Amino acid sequence: MEKRLEAGWFQRIAWSVLVWGSLGLLAWVPFLYVAVRRGRGSDWGAFAAFVLYECVTLSWSSLTSRSDGDPILGAVALLCLLTATVMLLFAVFDKRQPTQVVPSAYGAPTAPAQGQPYGYPYGR
């Protein structure tokens, strides 16, 4: 059986605030959490992609140290922040399942299903 990882909106928004609050430097943290908890290959791939993003942008920013900034690096950073936020809010976590009805004890009377007549069904 495949593992599920459910999260409410508060947890999803909290992970997104971490991503934006760190200006993308900790964008990999929520994806590491999901990958460890659920263990799917796609989750590990998302984690690896955000770690690779961090390595590339940090080295890119140190190599191109112009005084006026790099607009392409800024656009890449914003795109990464938006991508991480959309993934955390809508794609990564599973939707909550409605609670299952607990079956009644053996021999306990149950209500008949819709369309099923009352009485002894074999006596007709």
Side-chain angles (χ1 to χ4, degrees):
M1 185 171 168
E2 197 169 303
K3 290 183 183 178
R4 294 181 49 81
L5 185 59
E6 297 175 351
W9 281 104
F10 179 76
Q11 185 178 3
R12 294 175 188 202
I13 291 171
W15 284 121
S16 299
V17 166
L18 173 74
V19 169
W20 282 91
S22 68
L23 298 176
L25 292 175
L26 298 176
W28 55 271
V29 173
F31 297 98
L32 175 63
Y33 168 77
V34 170
V36 168
R37 291 284 310 265
R38 197 163 45 185
R40 291 183 188 165
S42 61
D43 295 331
W44 285 107
F47 166 68
F50 280 101
V51 167
L52 180 65
Y53 158 78
E54 284 301 318
C55 294
V56 168
T57 55
L58 286 177
S59 61
W60 184 2
S61 65
S62 65
L63 291 176
T64 60
S65 57
R66 290 188 273 165
S67 61
D68 60 349
D70 190 1
I72 296 174
L73 180 62
V76 167
L78 282 176
L79 184 64
C80 177
L81 289 171
L82 290 173
T83 302
T85 302
V86 168
M87 286 178 68
L88 288 170
L89 290 178
F90 302 111
V92 171
F93 296 102
D94 296 319
K95 293 184 174 149
R96 293 188 185 256
Q97 295 286 333
T99 57
Q100 299 290 333
V101 177
V102 178
S104 60
Y106 180 74
T110 59
Q114 185 72 351
Q116 181 180 3
Y118 287 102
Y120 185 69
Y122 303 111
R124 294 188 197 127

